[in-house]
Amino acid sequence: MPIHPSHESELLEALSEAESAGACLMAAYDAVDDTVDVLLKNIFQKDDTAVKFVVEPLLNSGGPLGEIMVRAKLLLGLGVISKDLYDDLEIFVTLKEWAKIQGEDTNFTDVDVLFELNKVNAIKRIMPIEYDEEVVKTMSGPMLDMFLARHNQKVQSTIVLAITDIVNTLCRDNALTS
C-alpha cells in the first residue's frame, strides 16, 4: 500500500498558489518535509504504542530526528532513498534557509536561487530553468513586466513539477504496508 502525506493536495496547492518566490520555496520545503515525516513514521510504525511513545518523540522538532537532513541521512543510510533524492532534499532545505534570510527579497531571477534549482535532478530532467540577464536588461516597461511574470510562473510551475516528482518518488519507491 503506497504512503501519502495526509494533505498532499493541500501542500501542492499551496505551492502552486504561492504569492512570492519566498513563499513558493517555503511551501516546497514543507511538502518534502511532510513527506519525509510520513515515510519515517511508516517505516518505524509497528503498533500504536510504539509510535506514540518511541517514534513520535524521536521525530518531533526537539527530538534527535527532528531535522529533515538528519532524517534524510537516516533514510539514505537505510537504503530507503537514493543519493540523488537526498541531494534534492538538501537543495530544498538550502533554498528554504535562503528564503528565510532574504524574506521578501527572494526572487526567481536571483542567480543563486536559479543555480540551486537547476541542480535538482527532477528539474534537470523535466525543464531546466533558463534566465538571461542580458536579455532582461534590454527590456523596459510592460514588456519587462510581462517577461518577468512569465519567467516567475514558469519557475513556480517547474518547482511544482519537481516537488510532485520527489513526493511521488518517496511514496512510490517506499510502498510499505502498515
Side-chain angles (χ1 to χ4, degrees), residues 79-124:
V80 174
I81 64 172
S82 68
K83 176 69 167 100
D84 284 348
L85 189 52
Y86 173 86
D87 292 341
D88 289 350
L89 296 174
E90 189 171 40
I91 291 166
F92 281 106
V93 169
T94 299
L95 288 169
K96 177 202 114 182
E97 292 302 319
W98 178 264
K100 279 175 53 178
I101 292 167
Q102 296 298 313
E104 291 300 314
D105 293 334
T106 305
N107 64 66
F108 291 139
T109 58
D110 187 292
V111 175
D112 294 322
V113 171
L114 294 174
F115 176 77
E116 290 298 320
L117 285 171
N118 277 319
K119 291 184 340 186
V120 174
N121 291 292
I123 291 176
K124 287 186 222 177

Side-chain angles (χ1 to χ4, degrees), residues 131-140 144 147:
Y131 178 77
D132 187 347
E133 200 169 319
E134 295 303 314
V135 170
V136 173
K137 288 179 182 177
T138 66
M139 297 179 187
S140 63
L144 176 61
F147 177 84

Side-chain angles (χ1 to χ4, degrees), residues 18-46:
E19 297 280 326
S20 67
C24 181
L25 295 174
M26 296 298 275
Y29 169 83
D30 289 343
V32 296
D33 186 46
D34 284 2
T35 306
V36 167
D37 184 55
V38 169
L39 177 58
L40 269 175
K41 284 179 180 172
N42 197 18
I43 289 171
F44 291 117
Q45 185 174 14
K46 299 298 180 212

Side-chain angles (χ1 to χ4, degrees), residues 6 8 11-12 19 22 33 40 45 59 69 72 75 89 97 102 114 121 125-126 131 140 152 160 163 165 176-177:
S6 60
E8 177 182 3
L11 291 170
L12 295 175
E19 297 280 326
D33 186 46
L40 269 175
Q45 185 174 14
L59 296 176
M69 290 316 300
L75 293 172
L89 296 174
E97 292 302 319
Q102 296 298 313
L114 294 174
N121 291 292
R125 276 191 326 274
I126 298 168
Y131 178 77
S140 63
N152 288 338
V160 169
I163 292 299
D165 183 69
L176 305 171
T177 57

